[in-house]
Amino acid sequence: MRLLRIVVVLVVLLGGGGLLADRWAHHRAEGEAAGRVQEREGVESADVGIRGFPFLTQVVSGRMEHVDVRMDGYRARTEQGRVRVARIDAALRGVRFEDDYERARVENVSGSARITYRDLVKSLGGEEIPVASGVTAKVASLKDGGKGRIAVGVEGSVLGHELPGTFTVLCAVSLKGGDRFVLHADSLPDLGIPLPGKAGQALDIEQKVSDLPEGLRLDSVRAASDGMRVRFSGKDLDLREDAR
């Protein structure tokens, strides 16, 4: 998500260097900004679209009405480490520049992100989860479970002995606190042994996105056929180029 505070500064710096034609300046600024974003963020690809005409008038005024950003392969920071975000699409509206373009304020930001189930599993790191006394579980796979659920493949062990096969648990996905998503198990898998009622809570999976800019929050999350879909928004974001 650090892209949001980088692009708004790069667009003006790259587009205002004495370029002669408005459309050429516009095209050049978008291409250069996208290249810099890709290099700085280490993403697989990036695209920047600057709306509004004329472009150079916006440069002179120090305000851009609408900037669209797309980024593929961004690695968001979580409590567990990093999770690859397959795609981020963000719309920045009302971008005002201050302090000789070292700082920008964005009136409104909205967008969406997609995390594939394969990347989500990788981010969990195969950690063993204590379920009950002598019983542990490990997430082996994630996939679309239908009806807004995620099907979680669980491998279990009892007293250090691995149980044969993989058990499937259907989980609902929700948000918590505007920066954390939670997978909550609908029911316990049948491990062939009795489990206490609270054991299901141990199977809940939480991940907090820890590098959101101040003022940006996650609005909704849902399970889809191609991964977990997240929508986000923010108002009056204070973005600075040197804020890493």
Side-chain angles (χ1 to χ4, degrees):
M1 298 292 183
R2 296 194 306 276
L3 173 67
L4 296 175
R5 59 171 164 69
I6 292 174
V7 169
V8 292
V9 176
L10 287 178
V11 168
V12 165
L13 293 178
L14 295 172
L19 303 179
L20 300 179
D22 187 88
R23 292 297 85 192
W24 186 79
H26 180 208
H27 178 74
R28 178 67 179 272
E30 289 180 331
E32 292 287 344
R36 286 282 297 276
V37 168
Q38 183 175 352
E39 179 182 358
R40 290 177 64 90
E41 296 301 313
V43 296
E44 296 155 15
S45 64
D47 185 74
V48 176
I50 307 166
R51 299 195 190 186
F53 180 84
F55 167 68
L56 291 178
T57 299
Q58 298 183 72
V59 173
V60 172
S61 69
R63 176 187 169 91
M64 293 190 176
E65 293 299 330
H66 191 152
V67 179
D68 290 323
V69 176
R70 191 212 77 221
M71 187 167 56
D72 299 327
Y74 179 76
R75 296 191 177 275
R77 185 180 296 112
T78 71
E79 292 175 322
Q80 288 80 13
R82 296 275 184 176
V83 58
R84 179 182 178 274
V85 183
R87 176 156 178 159
I88 296 175
D89 291 281
L92 288 69
R93 294 179 174 86
V95 182
R96 306 188 309 276
F97 297 93
E98 303 173 357
D99 299 335
D100 196 24
Y101 301 118
E102 292 294 327
R103 187 174 187 175
R105 290 186 180 274
V106 181
E107 293 176 3
N108 288 281
V109 176
S110 61
S112 63
R114 178 173 64 88
I115 305 174
T116 69
Y117 295 123
R118 169 185 270 184
D119 289 326
L120 191 54
V121 169
K122 288 181 180 179
S123 73
L124 298 176
E127 180 182 358
E128 290 193 342
I129 305 169
V131 177
S133 178
V135 181
T136 62
K138 182 171 62 175
V139 175
S141 65
L142 296 171
K143 64 180 181 179
D144 180 26
K147 297 183 179 180
R149 294 295 192 265
I150 296 177
V152 182
V154 177
E155 296 175 351
S157 66
V158 177
L159 299 176
H161 298 285
E162 293 186 2
L163 298 175
T166 301
F167 305 88
T168 299
V169 180
L170 290 178
C171 291
V173 59
S174 60
L175 291 178
K176 181 179 179 181
D179 61 358
R180 184 186 301 265
F181 57 85
V182 182
L183 273 64
H184 177 69
D186 288 348
S187 60
L188 288 169
D190 184 6
L191 301 180
I193 59 173
L195 295 173
K198 293 184 177 180
Q201 298 177 6
L203 292 177
D204 288 356
I205 301 171
E206 292 193 16
Q207 279 205 344
K208 178 181 179 180
V209 182
S210 56
D211 58 351
L212 292 175
E214 185 176 355
L216 193 72
R217 62 176 286 119
L218 307 182
D219 294 324
S220 66
V221 61
R222 65 181 179 88
S225 60
D226 57 354
M228 195 169 66
R229 299 271 184 167
V230 182
R231 297 201 65 84
F232 57 86
S233 65
K235 292 184 178 181
D236 194 25
L237 271 66
D238 185 359
L239 311 177
R240 285 173 289 178
E241 170 67 1
D242 59 353
R244 299 295 298 177

